[in-house]
Amino acid sequence: PLPIRRATGSVFAMLGGGLGRYPAVSAVRVLRAVRAAMSIDDVLLLGLDLRSPAARIDAAARNATLLTQWHRHALVVANRVAGTDFDPESFTHALRYDAENRRVDEGVACRAARRVSGPSMATFALRPGKVVRTSMQCLYERSMLEPMLRGVGLKVQEWCESADATHALAVVQVRFPDDGQP
């Protein structure tokens, strides 16, 4: 929970596709917590990535080497923190679109069968192609976002899309109960 403030005119910000890090139910919980901390004069800035799943997959293919290094780092961290023995070089970047949940899952796929162990866990096997998910991004469009906001007492005051319509900034304010919207 965020602290409830008495000062007004503050800006809350969730940029860089921050809301997309949460599936719908969790995103509503986050928005509800933000709304509880907002006063009537505050605004919430939401940055949204509007690229299609196909455009995201194309961008990932163009940056496969960099993305492989980036997502392998999660295995390096797991080795350091949990004492596992992942071999990061045995993995390559993987991305898939989960249409049912409107979510892009990224991670690293095992290139060959591997066994992984750690001090407080049983050894487990990874078969070739098995993906270790390191991040996910839920895709929220305006038509999905507005009902979520309305449900927690917020509304889009302004919607600003980039010239190429790949990103948007939503300026969100507290919604009055009598604003005429259902």
Side-chain angles (χ1 to χ4, degrees), residues 1 32 69-70 72 83 107 113 122 131 138 141 159 165 172:
R32 186 175 292 127
Q69 292 172 352
W70 177 265
R72 279 180 182 164
V131 175
C138 295
E141 300 167 354
W159 183 267
V172 177

Side-chain angles (χ1 to χ4, degrees), residues 1-166:
L2 298 172
I4 296 176
R5 301 174 308 72
R6 298 294 174 223
T8 61
S10 294
V11 176
F12 293 75
M14 239 184 183
L15 304 174
L19 191 64
R21 292 183 179 96
Y22 302 99
V25 171
S26 298
V28 168
R29 287 181 184 141
V30 168
L31 291 169
R32 186 175 292 127
V34 171
R35 168 58 186 98
M38 290 176 72
S39 66
I40 206 73
D41 296 325
D42 293 342
V43 295
L44 167 63
L45 302 178
L46 289 176
L48 299 162
D49 186 340
L50 303 177
R51 292 178 297 164
S52 69
R56 289 167 184 252
I57 291 167
D58 289 344
R62 288 191 307 275
N63 297 297
T65 302
L66 174 66
L67 289 171
T68 293
Q69 292 172 352
W70 177 265
H71 290 278
R72 279 180 182 164
H73 185 68
L75 303 179
V76 172
V77 172
N79 287 343
R80 184 179 67 238
V81 173
T84 55
D85 61 357
F86 283 102
D87 174 15
E89 296 302 315
S90 299
F91 292 83
T92 189
H93 180 254
L95 180 144
R96 82 174 184 89
Y97 177 61
D98 176 354
E100 182 180 343
N101 294 303
R102 294 199 37 80
R103 182 178 74 210
V104 174
D105 292 329
E106 285 189 87
V108 286
C110 195
R111 289 192 278 211
R114 308 289 303 175
R115 297 188 75 66
V116 179
S117 61
S120 60
M121 59 187 248
T123 299
F124 63 94
L126 294 173
R127 65 185 184 282
K130 180 67 175 172
V131 175
V132 177
R133 186 171 71 181
T134 56
S135 74
M136 61 161 224
Q137 186 73 24
C138 295
L139 309 180
Y140 294 111
E141 300 167 354
R142 186 173 185 169
S143 62
M144 298 167 62
L145 181 64
E146 286 182 327
M148 291 168 62
L149 292 169
R150 196 168 34 253
V152 299
L154 297 169
K155 66 178 177 180
V156 174
Q157 184 66 30
E158 202 171 333
W159 183 267
C160 309
E161 280 190 24
S162 61
D164 60 1
T166 59

